Amino acid sequence: MAPDVTAFFDDATNTISYVVRDPKGSACAVIDSVLDFDYASGRTDTRSADRIIAHITAEGWELQWLLESHVHADHLSAAPYIQERLGGKIGIGDRIRVVQDTFGKVFNEGTEFQRDGSQFDRLFVEGDSFHIGQLRGDVLHTPGHTPACLTYVIGDAAFVGDTLFMPDFGTARCDFPGGSSELLYNSIQKILSLPDETRIFVGHDYKAPGRDEYAWETTVAEQKARNVHVGGGTTCADFVEMRDRRDATLPMPKLIIPSLQVNMRAGRMPPADDQGDVFFKVPVNKL
């Protein structure tokens, strides 16, 4: 079955969020939503999430899932905001516990920060399935970019998060704590073992050199043939050498500090102080 997919591109973070609907009904899911955040002023905004809410509401659809492909380091999740208005369950991979343990220490969160994934409604493992109305989704654990990365295979579509980009741009970085270029290569092979006609929807696009338009949909066949990092039979050794060398030149994402503190809490802000004010911690020389 081919789900109905609507994409929402966020210019500030180059993130694509998706609304995925059962074509035989009104049930839908949101994948990788965005809460707008201006780092300079410390202010949040909900315009990106409100576009998604307005679309679902106008169509009369029922939101059942808010799915996270991983703990994003480049944007804040709007899942709780959308959930408060439309319902649905927030899901992520069960290896979120590893990410919470790692960054709970980086941000000195203390014992009050739960590292058991209990902030989320559902923790998925490899082989799990779920339903959006009558539409079945299957879960692939695809680590490498982070330990908790998932690919959601829903009907004929695979939502790969940051694991793969468009064929002319390549693959995700692997230099965050818990990342591994070898694991990423193996995860990509798992995705590329899906049927050739499987539609692949990526989590970001940055317009590769020579391309003037943003893009986010490709296929397994196109990735196998043309991906500049793993296409054409690239070996694991060659990929690891390329990926590690490239990652050594990359700066940290601009929003990594607030993003991690929010997203490891399922999109919720850190606890407010006695005056009701919320603050982010900035670890020095830790990332």
Side-chain angles (χ1 to χ4, degrees), residues 41-88:
S41 66
R43 289 195 168 274
T44 60
D45 191 283
T46 61
R47 62 186 181 276
S48 293
D50 288 336
R51 289 172 58 207
I52 292 174
I53 291 170
H55 178 73
I56 293 173
T57 302
E59 296 290 343
W61 295 344
E62 174 196 358
L63 181 60
Q64 295 186 339
W65 288 101
L66 293 135
L67 302 172
E68 301 289 345
S69 60
H70 63 293
V71 173
H72 309 277
D74 46 24
H75 72 268
L76 284 63
S77 170
Y81 174 78
I82 298 174
Q83 184 183 52
E84 288 173 3
R85 284 148 183 81
L86 298 180

Side-chain angles (χ1 to χ4, degrees), residues 139-255:
V139 175
L140 301 181
H141 182 217
T142 48
H145 176 59
T146 79
C149 287
L150 297 182
T151 291
Y152 297 104
V153 182
I154 304 173
D156 76 336
F159 299 86
V160 299
D162 292 7
T163 299
L164 278 169
F165 297 130
M166 293 299 290
D168 58 359
F169 201 88
T171 60
R173 67 193 296 168
C174 302
D175 59 328
F176 297 147
S180 164
S181 53
E182 183 175 357
L183 280 178
L184 184 68
Y185 181 87
N186 292 331
S187 293
I188 291 169
Q189 302 313 305
K190 186 185 298 185
I191 294 169
L192 298 185
S193 70
L194 294 168
D196 280 355
E197 64 272 17
T198 302
R199 295 182 290 164
I200 289 181
F201 293 91
V202 302
H204 295 283
D205 188 57
Y206 305 96
K207 288 196 297 189
R211 175 157 53 88
D212 296 328
E213 303 292 332
Y214 290 112
W216 44 80
E217 180 179 349
T218 178
T219 66
V220 166
E222 289 172 348
Q223 291 282 9
K224 287 196 294 189
R226 300 194 296 107
N227 187 285
V228 294
H229 292 169
V230 294
T234 300
T235 67
C236 182
D238 286 345
F239 174 79
V240 168
E241 190 280 328
M242 177 281 300
R243 188 70 263 174
D244 291 350
R245 174 168 37 84
R246 181 180 174 89
D247 288 349
T249 70
L250 299 177
M252 284 290 103
K254 293 179 181 179
L255 295 182

